[in-house]
């Protein structure tokens, strides 16, 4: 391992005794308490009665299955734990997805939660399943599925008429294609069938490289006994139609026959251990010493309403190894901070917002991204962005051209991108700072994050101007009181719709994290993305825009 970066630790002028800091920390504690409460609710699955029913059948809850499969004292990075927030569905969507270490190998783990609708595939579970496969594909890590599912959530297919049924069915099979693609790419897929795997769900084991079935628990068939009787008149029971013993001894679908759930987990670990899996990318290269500045202080940095200025260097100083940061072009385009650091020993390039993106800031970002691609450095984006600067002077200065150059650099970059939204994430600034739509590997939110096409006040103000213009064109009086009421209503609706919980509930990111865990989460992600080497150089050399 090489010595640490030669750059000195970042100084910090953060005043932890200031009233604004204490207020921010109190607000953050309140938001984190709500997140923790919701995480407990998600972990409860279908509730105590459903959990007790599973245990009475010698079945473990999905989180216990995963915990027993992981190596002792290793972390599990759960993805979209609060999926379905604000909807009528059980929090979490009836599925658990995350990245953990099994037999020394980083794996994606996907598990149906049978305590929720029998593990039926809700719309949120389907999105999480897609995301699980995407993480395995993009990072080239083995994919392990713990299957126990009643199949598709038929309430969705019957809830909106023929059009909804057709659309839902047409879109629902994409995961099968992607499972096949994983195997084609050389990414191992391991399936443990803990219970029912019916209809389309039967193809999960059918399309996996390795299949483990559990005695008297696994039930795998395209149609269960009632449907078989209706379709063919044939009488059969679950076990003879699609039980574990039949598939292990007769059909050949089951590669391994487990006596019980713990035996299935043991076999799963054995299978992963023989994969001969090794990381293709570089290992941590620098000293992973902790930050000089206390990560606890991250709690008081960001105001709940986001109007208080934040120096992103204060975030970097509490995330980077030794708080060391070599800043690139600090005097040019100062509203975007760019530079080199390391996190848990992994060298990275960091881009963080200190305000709106001006033409010079976009230029700097373009050059910096190219430099990091030349030397294969992952990019960490710390978003607190209201967008690209607008106005007559900035249009003349080429904000569209410079912003487009930055978007091109982000799009053509071949190194891994990791994004943490600490505050605002508005407009095209979201894309320029490598938002989810631009193919980054992982995206996480602080509880203070807000994501929207623009700020609530700006949206409400623009709509007010439109109404005022319409009234003028029609020659009718403009009701100021009514407009003020509409503006207030729109601001509130947009504010609520932009909140981190709403975004994460819709699975627009990988989850909300405690700011103090930012360094740990980024370190885990940097380890995961280094399973896959950079494949081919970026389609550009370095140029000065």
């Amino acid at each position: 391992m090489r010595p640490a970066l030669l750059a000195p630790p970042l100084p910090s002028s953060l005043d932890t005794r200031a009233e604004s800091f204490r207020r921010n920390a109190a607000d953050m504690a309140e938001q984190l308490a709500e997140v923790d409460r919701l995480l407990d609710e998600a972990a409860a699955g279908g509730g105590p009665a459903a959990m007790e029913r599973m245990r009475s059948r010698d079945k473990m809850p999905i989180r216990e299955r995963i915990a027993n499969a992981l190596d002792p004292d290793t972390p599990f990075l759960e993805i979209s734990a609060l999926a379905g927030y604000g909807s009528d569905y059980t929090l979490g969507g009836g599925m658990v997805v995350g990245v953990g270490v099994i037999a020394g190998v980083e794996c994606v783990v996907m598990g149906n939660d049978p305590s929720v609708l029998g593990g039926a595939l809700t719309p949120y579970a389907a999105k999480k399943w897609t995301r699980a496969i995407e993480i395995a594909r993009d990072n080239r890590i083995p994919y392990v599925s713990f299957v126990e599912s009643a199949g598709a959530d038929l309430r969705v297919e019957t809830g909106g008429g023929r059009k909804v049924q057709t659309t839902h069915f047409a879109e629902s099979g994409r995961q099968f294609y992607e499972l096949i693609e994983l195997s084609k790419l050389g990414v191992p897929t391991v399936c443990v069938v803990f219970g029912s795997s019916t209809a389309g769900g039967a193809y999960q084991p059918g399309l996996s490289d390795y299949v483990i079935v559990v005695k008297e628990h696994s039930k795998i068939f395209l149609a269960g006994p009632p449907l078989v009787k209706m379709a063919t008149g044939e009488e059969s029971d679950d076990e003879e139609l699609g039980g574990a013993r039949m598939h292990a001894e007769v059909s050949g679908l089951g590669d391994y026959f487990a006596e019980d759930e713990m035996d299935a987990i043991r076999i799963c670990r054995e299978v992963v251990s023989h994969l001969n899996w090794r990381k293709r990318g570089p290992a941590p290269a620098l000293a992973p010493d902790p930050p000089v500045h206390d990560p606890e202080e991250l709690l008081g940095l960001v105001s709940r309403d986001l109007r208080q200025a934040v120096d992103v260097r204060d975030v970097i100083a509490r995330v980077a190894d030794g708080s060391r940061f070599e800043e690139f072009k600090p005097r040019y385009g100062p509203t975007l901070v760019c530079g080199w650091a390391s996190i848990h020993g992994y060298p990275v390039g960091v881009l963080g917002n200190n305000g709106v993106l001006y033409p010079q800031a976009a230029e700097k970002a373009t050059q910096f991204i190219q430099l990091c691609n030349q030397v294969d450095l992952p990019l960490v984006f710390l978003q607190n962005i209201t967008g690209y600067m607008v106005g007559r002077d900035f249009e003349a200065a080429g904000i569209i051209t410079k912003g487009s150059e930055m978007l091109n650099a982000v799009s053509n970059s071949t190194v891994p991108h990791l994004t943490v939204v600490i505050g605002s994430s508005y407009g095209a600034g979201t894309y320029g700072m490598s938002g989810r739509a631009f193919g980054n590997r992982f995206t996480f939110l602080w509880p203070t994050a807000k994501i929207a096409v623009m700020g609530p006040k700006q949206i409400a103000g623009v709509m007010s101007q439109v109404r005022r213009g319409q009234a003028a064109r029609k020659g009718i009086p403009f009701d100021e009181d009514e407009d003020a009421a509409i503006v207030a209503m729109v601001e509130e609706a947009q504010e609520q719709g932009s909140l981190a919980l709403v975004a994460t509930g819709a699975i627009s990111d990988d989850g909300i994290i405690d700011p103090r865990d930012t360094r740990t989460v980024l370190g885990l992600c940097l380890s995961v993305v280094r399973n896959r080497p950079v494949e081919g150089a970026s389609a550009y050399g370095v140029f000065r825009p």
Side-chain angles (χ1 to χ4, degrees):
M1 182 174 291
R2 302 199 309 271
L5 288 174
L6 296 179
L10 279 168
S12 178
S13 59
L14 187 65
D15 184 1
T16 58
R17 295 169 297 179
E19 172 60 28
S20 59
F21 180 91
R22 292 198 298 269
R23 183 175 58 253
N24 292 346
D27 285 346
M28 182 66 79
E30 180 183 317
Q31 292 172 88
L32 287 173
E34 175 64 4
V35 170
D36 287 343
R37 184 190 70 78
L38 292 170
L39 288 173
D40 289 342
E41 180 182 331
M51 291 291 187
E52 185 56 37
R53 186 164 56 250
M54 287 186 62
R55 293 190 187 281
S56 70
R57 299 172 181 173
D58 296 323
K59 289 176 174 288
M60 290 184 281
I62 181 57
R63 293 177 186 277
E64 285 188 24
R65 291 170 179 169
I66 293 173
N68 281 300
L70 299 178
D71 291 356
D73 300 319
T74 59
F76 181 65
L77 182 61
E78 187 167 354
I79 302 298
S80 295
L82 301 183
Y85 172 83
S87 75
D88 294 333
Y89 287 90
T90 300
L91 200 59
M95 179 178 285
V96 177
V97 169
V99 179
V101 179
I102 299 176
V105 179
E106 288 168 332
C107 301
V108 173
V109 183
M110 181 282 280
N112 303 111
D113 186 348
S115 75
V116 179
L117 300 174
L121 197 65
T122 68
Y124 292 98
K127 289 185 72 173
K128 290 176 74 168
W129 184 15
T130 297
R131 179 64 181 140
I133 297 173
E134 182 179 59
I135 292 172
R137 181 185 66 240
D138 290 349
N139 299 289
R140 300 295 196 271
I141 59 175
Y143 171 84
V144 177
S145 58
F146 289 172
V147 175
E148 182 168 4
S149 173
D153 182 0
L154 297 180
R155 300 174 308 165
V156 175
E157 296 203 34
T158 59
R162 182 176 300 172
K163 182 178 180 181
V164 171
Q165 293 181 42
T166 302
T167 303
H168 180 70
F169 177 75
E171 294 174 349
S172 65
R174 179 67 188 182
Q175 294 92 346
F176 300 140
Y177 172 88
E178 291 176 345
L179 267 177
I180 297 168
E181 186 181 45
L182 283 184
S183 188
K184 179 181 70 175
L185 293 171
V187 177
T189 55
V190 181
C191 180
V192 186
V193 184
F194 284 100
S196 176
S197 186
T198 309
Y203 288 106
Q204 290 190 63
L207 297 173
S208 297
D209 297 341
Y210 302 89
V211 178
I212 302 162
V213 294
V214 184
K215 178 182 177 181
E216 297 177 355
H217 284 197
S218 302
K219 304 289 186 287
I220 312 169
F221 28 59
L222 295 182
L227 182 53
V228 168
K229 183 174 181 180
M230 287 183 61
T232 69
E234 181 180 281
E235 297 275 358
S236 58
D237 61 31
D238 284 355
E239 195 63 33
E240 64 180 340
L241 183 64
R245 189 173 299 278
M246 189 281 288
H247 282 304
E249 298 177 358
V250 181
S251 79
L253 174 62
D255 302 314
Y256 302 88
F257 182 85
E259 292 293 327
D260 54 31
E261 292 200 355
M262 282 304 296
D263 191 37
I265 289 169
R266 176 190 63 80
I267 294 170
C268 174
R269 289 178 51 79
E270 287 183 357
V271 169
V272 174
S273 73
H274 85 237
L275 295 177
N276 191 30
W277 199 255
R278 56 193 183 279
K279 291 190 178 185
R280 307 287 181 176
L286 299 174
D289 45 332
V292 171
H293 302 288
D294 189 354
E296 285 286 329
E297 295 169 349
L298 292 171
L299 295 180
L301 273 181
V302 183
S303 170
R304 178 176 248 158
D305 65 12
L306 303 184
R307 287 180 291 185
Q308 179 181 315
V310 179
D311 188 344
V312 75
R313 295 178 187 86
D314 282 326
V315 178
I316 298 168
R318 290 159 179 82
V319 170
D321 294 340
S323 301
R324 291 179 295 271
F325 184 63
E326 178 192 340
E327 188 166 351
F328 176 69
K329 285 190 171 181
R331 295 173 180 268
Y332 190 80
T335 56
L336 183 68
V337 175
C338 300
W340 290 275
S342 66
I343 299 174
H344 282 284
Y346 288 99
V348 295
V350 182
L351 298 92
N353 301 118
N354 260 0
V356 69
L357 285 166
Y358 290 92
Q360 288 184 334
E363 282 186 7
K364 180 165 70 172
T366 299
Q367 185 182 359
F368 181 72
I369 291 168
Q370 295 170 75
L371 290 169
C372 290
N373 271 263
Q374 270 206 334
V375 292
D376 185 21
L377 286 187
L379 292 169
V380 174
F381 293 82
L382 301 175
Q383 284 196 14
N384 185 18
I385 178 65
T386 55
Y388 289 90
M389 191 61 190
V390 298
R392 186 169 49 203
D393 291 343
F394 302 105
E395 295 291 359
I399 188 61
I400 295 175
T401 301
K402 301 306 180 185
S404 296
E405 288 172 352
M406 181 177 175
L407 291 171
N408 267 276
V410 171
S411 301
N412 289 318
S413 173
T414 58
V415 298
H417 294 186
L418 308 177
T419 302
V420 181
V421 183
I422 67 175
S424 300
S425 182
Y426 295 158
T430 300
Y431 310 140
M433 291 296 292
S434 195
R436 182 70 168 267
F438 271 57
N440 57 4
R441 300 288 183 90
F442 292 96
T443 304
F444 292 96
L445 312 180
W446 283 10
T448 43
K450 293 179 182 177
I451 303 171
V453 67
M454 64 178 71
K457 287 186 179 297
Q458 288 74 23
I459 292 176
V462 167
M463 293 176 66
S464 174
Q465 291 181 38
V466 170
R467 289 191 297 274
R468 192 179 298 273
Q470 289 175 336
R473 286 193 299 274
K474 294 176 181 178
I476 59 177
F478 185 71
D479 190 327
E480 297 287 354
D481 292 338
E482 180 184 22
D483 183 68
I486 294 173
V487 166
M489 181 182 64
V490 170
E491 278 189 31
E492 176 62 19
Q494 292 296 330
E495 175 73 13
Q496 293 303 313
S498 69
L499 296 178
L501 280 171
V502 174
T504 207
I507 318 182
S508 67
D509 53 79
D510 293 313
I512 297 175
I513 61 173
D514 186 320
R516 295 167 293 187
D517 294 333
T518 303
R519 171 177 161 81
T520 300
V521 169
L522 287 174
L524 291 170
C525 292
L526 287 166
S527 179
V528 169
V529 301
R530 282 315 197 180
N531 279 273
R532 176 182 179 178
V534 172
E535 298 170 356
S538 298
Y540 45 68
V542 176
F543 63 93
R544 294 179 179 273

